[in-house]
């Protein structure tokens, strides 16, 4: 059986794939693999661009461990704590939360990932006050190499909790995850094409003034699509002029942006044209941004955060100190101009607050994320090499689930808590059962 990830950047042949249907079966599967001398890796949705889930040992998939276990109130804060099977996909989690008047504090831009896969690579969305998914985790259960299940929280096995809520599955297999949910909210979304220079002149104000700000810059052009989302009470706009009409329009607006600009039909066609006729790329980028007129609408948060991305692409994303975002983008633009590289896909720029998750790409610093994306039929190596040079010159940290060439020596200079992570991991998995070549490269051991 050959396993291939979504982006078609990794393919590997595991000795077998197992899909346990209970925690006991999961423990047995780990014990069996260890007895037979195999390494173990879990694959979630296979949406990492990096070979994070790859193994030639036993591959586990937890799609059948996707139950809602419980919803309870944190006795101290009163917040909702939602415990789910670690294999649950975000799409199902969002639906379950919505049915209970709850939602995730923040999300990335798709919902195909598993909960465990998403947190394990530091999946994030955008917003100066709202951290990535791992910051929303309050407890975990982890199956170790002996098949034993350990519960870890900020107060109980603290180090295991820190190393497991974002740790590429290197401490063990996550079997359940407890998320702190928030009351459901809507997003009032404003989407507008802007010249890149106009964004760069006031980018820090845009980040500060909007709950969730991001933009997609088409690097063969000077134009970008801006997305400004404000959190509002559900239905708050229903009586106003954008009101129900805005709500009804939401579907149409998202369809245009998702289905035509980024996801499917037209975007696939424009990328194919740009691949065959590189000289058309700037005009096609202009078309993509100009075709979108300003739109405003309100919709449930998860429907606004998450889109469909069906046009296949390759991606490198770095977290950089937020203060450097303008110089970094100007440098990337200068490289694109001088190289003439054919890049029909947009550069996605997002933001996050500093957090305290040991291996979070936003650990201890206000962050901007810059994602270089390339259509999968076009070469990406020269583009990503140049982008990586620019990102690492300002101390960039690569997304753990995306393409990059960094190793543990570089990353040790970026993550103050890496030694704590390594010590915790060595205690949890002394024989390296849960390793693969990628974890060895980026985490050592
Ligand atoms: C189209 C697309 C859009 C994306 N958008 C975003 C975005 O907006 N923001 C962002 O930050 N990232 C984004 N990503 C990256 C994606 O969120 C991450 O790569 C994420 O890890 C994928 O989740 P997955 O369930 O597919 O995990 P996989 O890729 O299958 O696995 C990721 C890692 O988690 C480990 N793992 C999985 N399950 C378990 C478990 N139960 N226990 C222990 N370890 C486990 C795996 O071993 C592996 O190391 C995107 C990727 C794609 C392809």
């Amino acid at each position: 059986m050959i396993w291939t990830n979504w982006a078609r950047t990794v393919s590997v042949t595991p000795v077998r794939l197992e899909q346990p249907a209970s925690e006991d079966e999961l423990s047995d599967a780990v014990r069996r693999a260890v007895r037979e001398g195999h390494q173990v890796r879990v694959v979630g949705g296979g949406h990492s661009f990096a070979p994070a889930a790859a193994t030639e040992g036993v591959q586990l998939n937890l799609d059948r461990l996707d139950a809602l276990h419980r919803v309870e109130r944190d006795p101290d804060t009163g917040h909702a704590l939602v415990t789910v099977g670690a294999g649950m996909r975000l799409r199902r989690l969002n639906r379950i939360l919505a049915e209970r008047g709850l939602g995730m504090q923040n999300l990335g831009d798709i919902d195909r990932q598993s909960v465990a896969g998403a947190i394990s690579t530091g999946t994030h969305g955008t917003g100066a006050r709202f951290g990535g998914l791992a910051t929303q985790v309050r407890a975990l259960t982890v199956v170790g190499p002996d098949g034993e299940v350990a519960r870890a929280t900020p107060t109980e096995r603290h180090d295991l909790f820190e190393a497991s809520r974002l740790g590429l599955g290197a401490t063990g297999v996550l079997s359940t995850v407890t998320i702190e949910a928030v009351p459901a909210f809507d997003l009032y979304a404003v989407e507008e094409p802007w010249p890149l220079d106009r964004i760069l002149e006031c980018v820090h104000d845009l980040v500060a003034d909007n709950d969730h700000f991001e933009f997609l810059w088409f690097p063969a052009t000077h134009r970008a699509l801006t997305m400004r989302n404000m959190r509002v009470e559900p239905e708050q706009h229903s009586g106003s002029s954008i009101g129900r009409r805005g709500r009804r329009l939401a579907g149409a607006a998202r369809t245009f942006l998702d289905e035509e600009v980024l996801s499917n039909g037209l975007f696939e066609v424009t990328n194919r044209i740009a691949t065959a006729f590189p000289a058309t790329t700037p005009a096609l980028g202009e078309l993509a941004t100009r075709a979108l007129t300003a739109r405003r609408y309100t919709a449930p948060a998860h429907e606004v955060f998450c889109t469909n991305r069906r046009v296949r692409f390759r991606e490198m994303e770095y977290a950089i100190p937020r203060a450097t975002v303008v110089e970094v983008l100007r440098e990337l633009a200068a490289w694109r101009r001088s190289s003439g590289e054919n890049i029909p896909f947009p550069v996605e720029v997002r933001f996050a607050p500093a957090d305290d998750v040991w291996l979070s790409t936003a650990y201890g610093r206000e962050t901007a994320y810059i994602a270089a994306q390339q259509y999968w039929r076009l070469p990406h190596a020269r583009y990503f090499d140049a982008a990586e040079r620019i990102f690492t010159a300002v101390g960039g940290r690569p997304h753990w689930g995306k393409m990059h060439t960094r190793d543990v020596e570089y990353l040790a200079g970026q993550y103050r808590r890496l030694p704590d992570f390594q010590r915790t991991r060595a205690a949890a998995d002394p024989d390296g059962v849960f390793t693969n070549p990628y974890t060895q490269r980026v985490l050592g051991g």
Side-chain angles (χ1 to χ4, degrees), residues 73-81 180:
R73 291 273 155 203
D74 183 318
D76 299 328
T77 63
H79 297 165
L81 300 178
E180 181 175 323

Side-chain angles (χ1 to χ4, degrees), residues 379-398:
H380 61 266
R382 213 159 69 112
Y383 176 26
F384 287 6
D385 279 356
E388 194 168 40
R389 264 198 311 279
I390 295 169
F391 299 151
T392 52
V394 295
R397 299 168 177 163

Side-chain angles (χ1 to χ4, degrees), residues 6 41-49 52-53 62 86 108-110 112-114 116-118 120-125 168-169 172-175 309 313 315 317 350 399 401-402:
W6 178 89
R41 294 296 290 165
V42 187
V43 61
H47 271 61
S48 292
F49 299 85
L62 305 195
D109 52 28
I110 59 161
R112 302 302 161 114
Q113 309 96 319
S114 64
S120 295
T121 59
T123 295
H124 63 90
L168 290 173
V173 181
L174 308 182
S175 60
R309 301 291 300 265
F313 59 96
E315 180 169 334
E317 181 176 56
R350 293 181 280 183
H399 188 300
K402 299 188 181 177

